[in-house]
């Protein structure tokens, strides 16, 4: 095997390992986060019949609506609790993310060392995340303010323009948030690849912004396949699982839905890992 | 640069595929299910259709719109025949535009939020009657002798009594001449203007309905109430600025133009109201459907909505024709108001209905346009042709029409009648059932519109609960039989003013006494029903032990040693709460996978579903085909051992949580 082929194979295997690591951590955390909702659904007795919870997904949604009517308040509370858990888990997920970045950057490190490194950089990842959140909130606020300012001007305009312009402005705000996220990933890559004392959160972010200045197209376009791929994965999974109602056996339908959803999740994570690789490269190139 | 191009290309391909999938998931879902079948052609058992009603009040009106001041000036002639059995000494006029005169009227002082739109008036509206004389009389202005306000309500001028100088004997005719001037309000509910858009309903002085006993069914305009009037012919000429496009009740029979104005003459026979709209931005589409000239007036850029509305009429008009008797008028006008005037949408007038919805209503899995169009079209029967008193018995039109709407939508779209997208379908029956169950016992259904505590309560009970009561009967008696009964009612009382008693008599004769009892209890007594199962028991059957005295003397039998039983006596106890009584099926499931059905006629309050067999009873499902839509709580209709692990919910919530972590996590 040539050196290039060996390097490519190594890169593929580390990327696959990073995908599995991110998928496993997300799945475990999601299992915990969704548990309160599951308990709330079961508490309504709507799934206690001989058909189990299959009744909730029958055409017409008679029983699904009945579940919402009877279990509304408890489902709402459970949903709120699940969201709180998701918020906490989103922070915890920084550790597997740091491990994945470390794996992509230094494939030969032992798992224990990788975990120790991830825990070491966790506060910096947290600080970077907070900084990014502030910037993203400012962008969304700006798009909202712009919408509010434009609304009176649009009062006499065509109905389509009145409804589309705010959506377009919000879209622009979200796109800006995505780009801030791209800069964040480069900063994270910088934090992971340098020695601990070499660079702090602020300096890493400044370097990532500098990288945006040096290679704007690569930074701004780089995450596009990841974002579009995630959207595609979700829609494709929905499209396929919408057709799983045609599968006659209910356990087969369930297995089909599970496989479809998890393949979509892995597909989405794979494209994210591809972008993380690119972020590591950009971090190194801009150094 | 190569890397950037590669990323752009991959992203673009993914985006294009996502767009295609999104379209397939949402827009594709709006396509009706294949092969919707129309109801069978009318059978010979239908009652003969009445060609026309006895005419009581016919109107000839010449009206002129000042589109800048939003005023309508009019001259009106009423040909009124006393069809009652008693001489009349007074007339009652409904001046419903006065509902918007000031904040003290019955309509506007109603606690808002309880009304239909929830909006207050911004610019007030009213109608001034200038003069009322009897044609061929002495020229005396009868209006001068009127009561100045509605009965017992000095702040309201919507229900006005005018004494007659001489009694009008039965079958005698009176020709009245009026002059009036309307100031239209900025759109409050269904009536008024927004910019240059005008919707003109309840706009002319109109006689209250004369009941057979010689009394007038008159009432002030209440925020929760609709209308009630006599049938007659309408000849209305509308003088509007030439740039305006007009839609109105009836057929346009003449059109003349001068420099800046257009005069349009409309004629409508056998109707009980007249409404019109004028706007200089309307676009129009016309089509002949089931022999009727259908016109849609819609705002610019809403051609897609107009097409959806025509598609709804293409299905629903022949459907309703077959179900409730042929639509008898030559024209049907659909008005889709602009978004700023959405409050004038979703309303019915004879031969004219208003729809509504933003320009993007058809983008997505929701069938909002189809729902509102089908509902308002259904009113051409349940309001237009069966002109019940909407003030005292609103369920007779809104409730029956909600059932008719759901039945038609489900015939067209199947289970996705309300929503069909992302693999999720929502049916009209399911939605009606939820609102019905949520407020089923709050108030009785059969009461006056103004008697309901709030409009939400009226909405849930009059619309949804009535539709659910009728839907349950249709499932219990069979769709064909129940729809035939409703068809008989619709034909028998066409061009009449049916009451609850009329409807009940048809249901009794076409269905049975039980249907009558159920309807009376469910609609007039807040009656409910809830079937539930509490426990399952299984007892192993073994030979009887003990001391037995027989012909051969006393015999002692010892209990059998413990062993796996060959037979089990199983029992599930099913209860019926509430006073409504329906027959139900009970499905028993056994350990060996077999199932059995038991039938309970619903009498009594408990039913023991017993079985003696080789396998243990492990599940009970009361009403497994979900015929009893009125069942208050579906979650207690079943039991199973062991209980479900809710694996589908687990799988879907897991995926949802993964997505959220992916979207908002790192």
């Amino acid at each position: 095997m040539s050196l290039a082929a060996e390097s490519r194979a190594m890169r593929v295997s580390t990327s696959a390992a990073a995908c599995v690591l991110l998928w496993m951590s997300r799945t475990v955390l999601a299992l915990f986060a969704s548990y309160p909702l599951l308990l709330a659904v079961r508490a309504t007795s709507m799934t206690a019949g001989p058909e189990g919870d299959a009744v909730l997904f029958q055409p017409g949604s008679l029983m699904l609506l009945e579940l919402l009517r009877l279990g509304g308040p408890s489902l709402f509370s459970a949903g709120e609790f699940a969201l709180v858990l998701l918020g906490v888990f989103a922070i915890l997920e920084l550790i597997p993310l740091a491990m994945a970045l470390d794996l992509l950057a230094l494939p030969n490190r032992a798992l224990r060392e990788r975990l120790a490194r991830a825990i070491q950089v966790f506060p910096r990842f947290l600080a970077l995340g907070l900084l990014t959140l502030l910037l993203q909130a400012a962008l969304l606020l700006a798009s909202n303010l712009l919408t509010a300012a434009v609304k009176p001007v649009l009062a006499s305009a065509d109905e389509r323009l009145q409804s589309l312009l705010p959506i377009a402005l919000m879209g622009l705000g979200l796109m800006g948030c995505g780009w801030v996220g791209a800069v964040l990933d480069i900063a994270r890559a910088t934090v992971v690849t340098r020695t601990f004392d070499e660079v702090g959160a602020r300096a890493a972010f400044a370097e990532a912004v500098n990288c945006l200045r040096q290679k704007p197209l690569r930074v701004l376009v780089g995450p596009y396949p990841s974002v579009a791929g995630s959207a595609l994965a979700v829609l494709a999974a929905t499209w396929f699982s919408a057709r799983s109602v045609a599968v006659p056996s209910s356990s087969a339908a369930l297995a089909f839905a599970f496989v479809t959803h998890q393949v979509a999740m892995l597909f989405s994570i794979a494209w994210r890992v591809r972008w993380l690789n690119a972020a590591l490269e950009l971090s190194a190139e801009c150094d | 640069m190569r890397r950037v191009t590669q990323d752009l290309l991959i992203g673009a391909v993914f985006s294009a595929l996502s767009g295609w999938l999104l379209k397939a998931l949402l827009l594709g879902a709006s396509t009706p299910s294949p092969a919707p079948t129309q109801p069978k052609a009318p059978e010979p058992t239908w009652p003969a259709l009445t060609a026309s009603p006895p005419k009581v009040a016919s109107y000839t009106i010449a009206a002129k719109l000042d589109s800048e001041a939003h005023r309508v000036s009019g001259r009106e002639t009423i040909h009124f025949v006393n069809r009652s059995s008693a001489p009349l000494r007074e007339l009652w006029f409904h001046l419903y535009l006065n509902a918007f005169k000031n904040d003290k009227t019955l309509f506007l002082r109603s606690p808002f939020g309880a009304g239909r739109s929830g909006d207050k008036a911004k610019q007030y509206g009213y109608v001034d009657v200038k003069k009322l004389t009897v044609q061929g009389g002495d020229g005396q202005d009868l209006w001068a002798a009127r009561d100045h306000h509605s009965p017992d309500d000095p702040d309201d001028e919507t229900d006005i009594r005018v004494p007659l100088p001489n009694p009008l004997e039965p079958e005698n005719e009176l020709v009245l001449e009026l002059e009036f001037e309307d100031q239209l309000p900025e759109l409050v509910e269904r009536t008024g203007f927004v910019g240059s858009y005008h919707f003109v309903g309840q706009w002319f002085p109109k006689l209250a309905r004369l009941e057979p006993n010689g009394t007038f069914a008159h009432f002030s305009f209440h925020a929760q109430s609709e209308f009630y009037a006599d049938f007659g012919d309408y000849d209305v000429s509308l003088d509007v600025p030439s740039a305006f496009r007009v839609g109105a009740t009836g057929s346009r029979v003449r059109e003349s133009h001068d420099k800046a104005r257009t005069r349009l003459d409309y004629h409508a026979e056998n109707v009980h109201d007249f409404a019109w709209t004028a706007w200089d931005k309307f676009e129009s589409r016309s089509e002949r459907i089931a022999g009727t000239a259908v016109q849609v007036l819609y705002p610019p850029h809403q051609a897609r909505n107009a097409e959806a509305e025509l598609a709804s009429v293409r299905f629903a008009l022949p459907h309703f024709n077959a179900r409730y008797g042929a639509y008898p008028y030559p024209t049907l006008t659909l008005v889709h108001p602009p978004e700023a005037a959405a409050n004038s949408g979703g309303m019915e007038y004879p031969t004219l209905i208003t729809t509504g919805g933003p320009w993007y209503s058809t983008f997505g899995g929701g069938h909002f346009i189809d729902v509102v169009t089908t509902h308002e079209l259904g009113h051409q029967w349940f309001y237009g042709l069966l002109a019940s008193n909407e003030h005292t018995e609103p369920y007779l039109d809104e409730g029956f029409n909600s059932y008719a709407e759901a039945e038609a939508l489900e015939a067209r779209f199947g289970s996705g009648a309300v929503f069909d997208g992302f693999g999720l379908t929502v049916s009209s029956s399911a939605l009606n059932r939820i609102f019905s169950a949520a407020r089923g016992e709050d108030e009785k259904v059969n009461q006056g519109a103004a008697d309901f505590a709030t409009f939400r309560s009226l909405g849930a009970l009059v619309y949804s609960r009535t539709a659910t009561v009728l839907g349950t009967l249709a499932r219990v008696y069979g769709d064909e039989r129940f729809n035939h009964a409703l068809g008989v009612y619709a034909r028998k009382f066409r061009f009449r003013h049916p009451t609850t008693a009329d409807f009940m008599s048809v249901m009794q004769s076409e269905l049975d006494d039980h249907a009558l009892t159920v309807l009376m209890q469910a609609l007039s007594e807040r009656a409910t029903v809830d079937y539930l199962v509490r426990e399952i028991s299984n007892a192993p059957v073994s030979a009887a032990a003990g001391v037995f005295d027989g012909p051969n003397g006393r015999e002692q039998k010892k209990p059998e040693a413990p062993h796996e039983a060959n037979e089990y006596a199983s029992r599930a106890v099913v209860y019926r709460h509430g006073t409504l009584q329906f027959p139900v099926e009970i499905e028993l499931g056994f350990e060996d996978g077999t199932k059995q059905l038991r039938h309970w006629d619903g009498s009594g309050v408990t039913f023991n579903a017993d079985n003696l067999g080789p396998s243990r009873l492990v599940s009970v499902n009361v009403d497994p085909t979900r015929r009893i839509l009125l069942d208050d709580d579906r979650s207690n209709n079943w039991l199973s051992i062991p209980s479900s692990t809710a694996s589908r919910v687990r799988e879907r919530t897991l995926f949802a949580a993964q997505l959220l972590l992916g979207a908002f996590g790192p």
Side-chain angles (χ1 to χ4, degrees):
Chain A
M1 190 185 276
S2 72
L3 200 62
E6 202 173 318
S7 152
R8 203 177 310 126
M10 180 72 167
R11 194 172 160 142
V12 168
S13 70
T14 51
S15 294
C19 282
V20 171
L21 173 65
L22 289 176
W23 175 75
M24 280 176 63
S25 63
R26 185 168 297 172
T27 304
V28 169
L29 293 175
L31 264 176
F32 282 115
S34 59
Y35 201 62
L37 263 176
L38 177 72
L39 290 180
V41 170
R42 286 175 62 180
T44 60
S45 300
M46 286 301 295
T47 62
E51 297 163 82
D53 61 354
V55 291
L56 300 177
F57 303 100
Q58 285 173 346
S61 298
L62 181 78
M63 305 309 261
L64 185 64
L65 291 176
E66 181 73 339
L67 168 72
L68 295 177
R69 183 179 76 88
L70 295 173
S74 56
L75 285 170
F76 187 76
S77 302
E80 280 184 327
F81 184 51
L83 283 178
V84 170
L85 284 181
L86 280 171
V88 174
F89 292 163
I91 295 170
L92 281 183
E93 222 190 0
L94 289 172
I95 290 175
L97 177 71
M99 287 174 74
L101 274 168
D102 189 60
L103 176 67
L104 295 171
L106 299 162
N108 296 321
R109 211 200 291 255
L111 183 65
R112 185 188 292 264
E113 284 174 48
R114 215 180 289 293
L115 179 62
R117 175 70 177 151
I119 292 169
Q120 189 185 33
V121 299
F122 178 75
R124 288 180 186 175
F125 268 38
L126 203 57
L128 284 169
L130 284 174
L131 182 63
T132 309
L133 267 181
L134 283 175
L135 283 171
Q136 289 173 331
L139 275 170
L140 290 179
L141 182 68
S143 85
N144 269 336
L145 289 174
L146 200 57
T147 305
V150 168
K151 254 189 181 167
V153 184
L154 289 179
S156 57
D158 155 345
E159 281 175 18
R160 286 186 306 178
L161 193 63
Q162 284 184 36
S163 41
L164 283 179
L165 199 71
I167 294 171
L169 288 173
M170 179 54 76
L172 276 178
L174 287 174
M175 199 183 277
C177 290
W179 284 331
V180 172
V183 173
L184 168 70
D185 282 334
I186 296 169
R188 283 167 174 164
T190 306
V191 167
V192 167
T193 50
R194 306 286 179 78
T195 57
F196 188 68
D197 299 327
E198 202 177 339
V199 62
R202 221 167 64 179
F205 198 80
E207 280 194 29
V209 171
N210 190 39
C211 193
L212 172 65
R213 280 203 205 100
Q214 285 178 40
K215 297 175 186 297
L217 274 179
R218 278 191 64 190
V219 175
L220 298 181
V221 175
Y224 182 32
S226 167
V227 173
S230 297
L232 175 64
V234 173
L235 289 168
T238 311
W239 191 82
F240 276 112
S241 55
R243 269 136 195 87
S244 73
V245 287
V247 178
S249 152
S250 60
S251 54
L254 178 62
F256 181 76
F258 178 76
V259 170
T260 307
H261 289 154
Q262 295 315 308
V263 166
M265 194 45 58
L266 273 167
F267 181 83
S268 162
I269 288 171
W271 284 96
R272 169 103 176 108
V273 167
R274 180 181 179 272
W275 159 244
L276 290 179
N277 267 319
L280 283 164
E281 278 174 26
L282 281 164
S283 165
E285 287 170 23
C286 298
D287 186 11
Chain B
M1 204 58 202
R2 194 169 142 262
R3 187 71 180 267
V4 171
T5 314
Q6 192 185 32
D7 286 346
L8 272 175
L9 272 174
I10 294 169
V13 169
F14 284 172
S15 300
L17 284 171
S18 300
W20 180 80
L21 280 171
L22 194 63
K23 201 174 159 190
L25 282 164
L26 289 174
L27 299 183
S30 298
T31 312
S33 313
T37 49
Q38 293 289 344
K40 287 176 193 163
E43 295 156 25
T45 51
W46 293 122
L49 288 177
T50 311
S52 66
K55 285 158 192 167
V56 178
S58 291
Y59 295 77
T60 304
I61 306 173
K64 184 174 182 179
L65 172 69
D66 177 343
S67 60
E68 298 294 320
H70 313 296
R71 294 177 82 89
V72 177
S73 49
R75 285 173 178 276
E76 175 178 330
T77 304
I78 307 174
H79 290 261
F80 175 69
V81 183
N82 179 4
R83 302 276 183 204
S84 78
S85 56
L88 300 178
R89 292 180 173 79
E90 61 189 21
L91 299 173
W92 284 87
F93 279 89
H94 285 159
L95 304 179
Y96 282 170
L97 207 55
N98 282 338
F100 314 111
K101 190 169 184 178
N102 58 54
D103 290 334
K104 286 188 166 182
T105 68
L106 176 64
F107 192 106
L108 290 182
R109 72 174 183 250
S110 300
F112 268 80
R116 283 168 191 261
S117 79
D119 289 343
K120 277 206 153 200
K122 294 185 195 93
Q123 288 190 42
Y124 296 90
Y126 50 85
V127 51
D128 282 335
V129 177
K130 311 274 189 196
K131 196 176 172 187
L132 168 63
T133 56
V134 176
Q135 197 179 69
D138 57 5
Q140 182 193 349
D141 183 6
L142 303 186
W143 199 248
R146 75 188 187 282
D147 290 348
H148 283 77
H149 56 77
S150 306
D152 306 320
D153 191 345
D155 293 322
D156 190 88
E157 297 169 45
T158 58
D159 185 21
I160 300 297
R161 188 184 73 92
V162 177
L164 284 173
N166 302 303
L168 181 67
E169 295 300 323
E171 295 306 321
N172 281 8
E173 186 182 17
L174 189 67
V175 180
L176 301 161
E177 294 190 332
L178 296 97
E179 285 177 32
F180 66 93
E181 180 139 349
D182 295 337
Q183 172 62 58
L184 299 176
E186 187 168 352
L187 202 73
V188 186
E189 280 200 0
R190 281 83 182 265
T191 290
F193 69 91
V194 175
S196 60
Y197 169 84
H198 295 78
F199 197 93
V200 192
Q202 310 306 327
W203 57 288
F204 59 94
K206 188 177 172 188
L207 284 168
R209 149 116 172 111
L210 177 64
E211 298 286 15
N213 65 2
T215 59
F216 281 90
H218 63 92
F219 45 90
S220 305
F221 194 0
H222 189 278
Q224 290 174 187
S225 177
E226 293 185 298
F227 314 107
Y228 187 38
D230 274 309
F231 285 97
D233 295 342
Y234 285 72
D235 287 285
V236 180
S237 82
L238 300 171
D239 183 336
V240 299
S242 290
F244 279 60
R245 199 169 237 156
V246 173
T249 295
S251 309
R252 190 179 292 179
V253 291
R254 211 168 298 109
E255 189 169 339
S256 59
H257 305 268
D258 63 21
K259 273 184 290 185
R261 309 282 301 178
T262 299
R263 189 185 135 156
L264 303 165
D265 292 352
Y266 287 87
H267 176 72
E269 285 182 18
N270 307 324
V271 296
H272 47 77
D273 201 0
F274 188 98
W276 54 287
T277 181
W279 194 29
D280 52 0
K281 294 189 179 68
F282 268 135
E283 294 184 8
S284 170
R285 271 191 68 180
S286 298
E287 186 175 322
R288 182 159 285 276
I289 300 172
T292 303
V294 180
Q295 183 189 27
V296 187
L297 295 173
Y298 58 95
H301 312 301
Q302 294 224 17
R304 199 182 162 93
N305 282 343
E307 172 50 34
E309 283 157 9
L310 279 171
S312 289
V313 176
R314 275 180 219 125
F315 180 86
L317 186 56
H319 187 86
F320 289 146
N321 280 344
R323 282 265 183 263
Y324 311 118
Y327 179 74
Y329 306 109
T331 61
L332 174 70
T333 302
L334 283 75
V335 178
H336 189 117
E339 211 26 35
N343 279 346
S344 62
M347 184 56 188
E348 67 282 2
Y349 301 93
T351 80
L352 182 145
I353 58 177
T354 67
T355 59
W359 62 272
Y360 49 81
S361 298
T362 55
F363 292 87
H367 289 142
F368 176 74
I369 294 282
D370 306 294
V371 169
V372 72
T373 307
T374 306
H375 181 89
E376 303 311 333
L377 178 61
H379 272 306
Q380 292 304 311
W381 283 264
F382 298 105
Y383 151 81
L385 295 169
L386 288 94
S388 302
N389 188 333
E390 295 184 287
H391 183 69
T392 56
E393 295 176 303
Y395 83 98
L396 287 176
D397 66 300
E398 291 296 359
F400 291 6
N401 188 42
S402 294
Y403 169 78
E405 167 216 317
E407 192 274 330
L409 285 168
E410 287 177 9
R412 184 177 173 206
F413 293 110
S415 59
V418 175
F419 180 83
D420 187 354
F422 290 111
L424 178 76
T425 56
V426 179
S427 69
S428 301
S429 313
L431 207 59
N432 278 330
R433 191 206 112 70
I434 291 309
F435 293 129
S436 161
R439 286 177 176 257
E441 287 182 272
D442 282 5
E443 301 181 67
K444 62 181 181 178
V445 172
N446 183 9
Q447 61 177 339
D451 298 328
F452 283 91
T454 65
F455 183 70
R456 281 189 179 174
S457 179
L458 181 151
L461 294 167
V462 165
Y463 290 69
S464 302
R465 190 151 184 90
T466 307
T468 305
V469 170
L470 301 192
T472 300
L473 282 179
R475 289 174 180 221
V476 169
Y477 284 87
D479 286 334
E480 201 171 322
R481 190 171 166 202
F482 178 79
N483 287 328
H484 182 266
L486 196 58
V488 168
Y489 166 72
R491 285 167 174 82
K492 197 171 172 185
F493 291 96
R494 167 173 288 218
F495 291 130
R496 290 169 67 180
H497 305 271
T499 61
T500 294
D502 296 326
F503 172 68
M504 295 300 173
S505 72
V506 172
M507 289 295 123
Q508 187 177 26
S509 61
E510 293 296 321
L511 299 176
D512 55 24
D513 288 345
H514 171 252
L516 177 70
T517 307
V518 163
L519 283 164
M520 293 298 284
Q521 289 178 330
L523 297 172
S524 301
E525 296 171 16
R526 295 193 304 151
T528 58
V529 67
D530 180 20
Y531 289 100
L532 61 150
V533 54
R534 290 212 191 273
E535 61 210 89
I536 292 173
S537 60
N538 289 291
V541 176
S542 53
V547 180
F548 297 90
D549 291 322
N552 302 324
R554 178 161 290 184
E555 191 181 357
Q556 191 154 5
K557 291 185 179 172
K558 288 184 177 172
E560 290 176 2
H563 66 284
E564 186 64 27
N566 295 323
E567 206 168 35
Y568 293 89
S570 306
R571 168 171 288 185
V573 187
V574 181
Y575 298 82
R576 178 174 59 80
H577 290 184
T579 50
L580 290 176
Q581 183 181 316
F582 294 101
V584 284
E585 304 297 325
I586 298 155
E587 185 187 78
L588 305 178
F590 296 91
E591 210 168 22
D592 60 5
T594 56
K595 287 187 189 304
Q596 289 182 24
L597 272 185
R598 295 281 190 276
H599 178 81
W600 178 21
D601 65 6
S603 59
V605 293
T606 61
F607 177 78
N608 293 335
D610 290 328
N611 189 64
L612 194 62
S615 191
R616 286 188 188 89
L617 177 66
V618 290
S619 71
V620 186
N621 192 354
V622 182
D623 190 23
T625 52
R626 306 190 228 302
R627 290 192 305 166
I628 316 300
L629 290 171
L630 279 170
D631 194 324
D632 263 349
D633 183 349
R634 302 283 332 182
S635 72
N636 56 21
N637 282 41
W638 45 43
L639 272 182
S640 65
I641 309 164
S643 62
S644 158
T645 54
S647 42
R648 284 165 198 79
V649 173
R650 188 189 295 265
E651 194 279 324
R652 279 162 176 81
T653 51
L654 167 68
F655 183 53
Q658 283 176 314
L659 286 180
L660 285 170
L661 272 176
F664 300 106

